[in-house]
């Protein structure tokens, strides 16, 4: 069984930035695809409903993605983000299972604002992250299930 990912709990404080999770993992040459979710920038600490969308585009260059994930005061409830070496690979994406075996370099899934799953073709990229997160769990292809609705 090959380890293809890690998962861990996430604490999103009032000045959370996704870069704190991804800074040692991302490559600036990658293109990113945002496949939906619910994610915001908090405009005010005093008013929790004063928010705007964080990911407003479907596709990002490496530079645009890096700038976006450094934005302060993020509140990410759900997110499905995937990195590819070039933009033409973005159209070939069918599902997470196809991504892992294909050109996808890194998949970032955030669920319920506090659970993160990271999948990578190059698992060595995830090793540095696990050294700093004692509560991670490995994810194997056999552990991932899909439910058709």
């Amino acid at each position: 069984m090959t380890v293809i990912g890690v998962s861990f709990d996430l604490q999103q404080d009032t000045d959370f930035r996704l870069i704190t999770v991804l800074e040692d993992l991302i490559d600036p040459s990658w293109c990113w695809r945002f496949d939906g979710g619910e994610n915001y920038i908090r405009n005010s600490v005093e008013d929790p409903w004063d928010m705007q969308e964080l990911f407003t585009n479907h596709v990002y260059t490496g530079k645009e993605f890096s700038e976006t994930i450094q934005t302060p005061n993020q509140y990410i409830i759900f997110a499905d983000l995937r990195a590819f070496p070039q933009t033409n690979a973005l159209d070939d994406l069918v599902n997470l299972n196809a991504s892992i075996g294909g050109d996808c370099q890194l998949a970032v899934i955030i669920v319920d604002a506090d659970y993160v799953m990271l999948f990578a073709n190059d698992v060595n990229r995830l090793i540095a992250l696990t050294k700093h997160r004692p509560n991670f769990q490995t994810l194997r292809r056999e552990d991932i299930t899909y439910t058709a609705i």
Side-chain angles (χ1 to χ4, degrees):
M1 288 190 282
T2 304
V3 174
I4 58 168
V6 296
S7 67
F8 51 89
D9 293 327
L10 179 67
Q11 292 290 333
Q12 292 193 47
D13 60 17
T14 55
D15 190 26
F16 174 75
R17 298 167 199 233
L18 189 54
I19 188 69
T20 60
V21 174
L22 301 179
E23 66 185 329
D24 295 331
L25 299 173
I26 60 176
D27 184 314
S29 68
W30 292 343
C31 299
W32 287 83
R33 178 174 166 156
F34 172 63
D35 275 335
E38 188 176 354
N39 48 80
Y40 305 100
I41 301 168
R42 291 181 179 111
N43 294 322
S44 167
V45 176
E46 294 80 30
D47 182 0
W49 299 107
D50 183 12
M51 297 185 281
Q52 64 190 47
E53 284 188 67
L54 174 63
F55 295 106
T56 57
N57 298 325
H58 185 62
V59 175
Y60 291 85
T61 66
K63 181 181 179 189
E64 291 168 336
F65 183 74
S66 180
E67 289 171 358
T68 301
I69 65 173
Q70 291 181 52
T71 304
N73 305 320
Q74 299 172 14
Y75 181 51
I76 302 173
I77 301 170
F78 296 100
D80 182 349
L81 298 156
R82 305 198 192 155
F84 293 86
Q86 51 195 357
T87 54
N88 63 344
L90 295 170
D91 296 330
D92 297 334
L93 181 63
V94 176
N95 61 36
L96 181 59
N97 204 22
S99 295
I100 294 167
D103 287 337
C104 181
Q105 301 300 303
L106 182 67
V108 180
I109 313 292
I110 299 176
V111 180
D112 290 340
D114 64 0
Y115 182 71
V116 177
M117 293 176 284
L118 301 173
F119 301 93
N121 274 343
D122 179 4
V123 178
N124 291 327
R125 285 191 179 274
L126 300 177
I127 291 173
L129 176 72
T130 61
K131 290 178 184 175
H132 304 295
R133 294 206 179 267
N135 62 339
F136 79 96
Q137 297 176 355
T138 58
L139 297 171
R140 304 173 193 285
R141 188 175 299 274
E142 297 80 15
D143 298 334
I144 303 168
T145 58
Y146 300 92
T147 303
I149 297 174

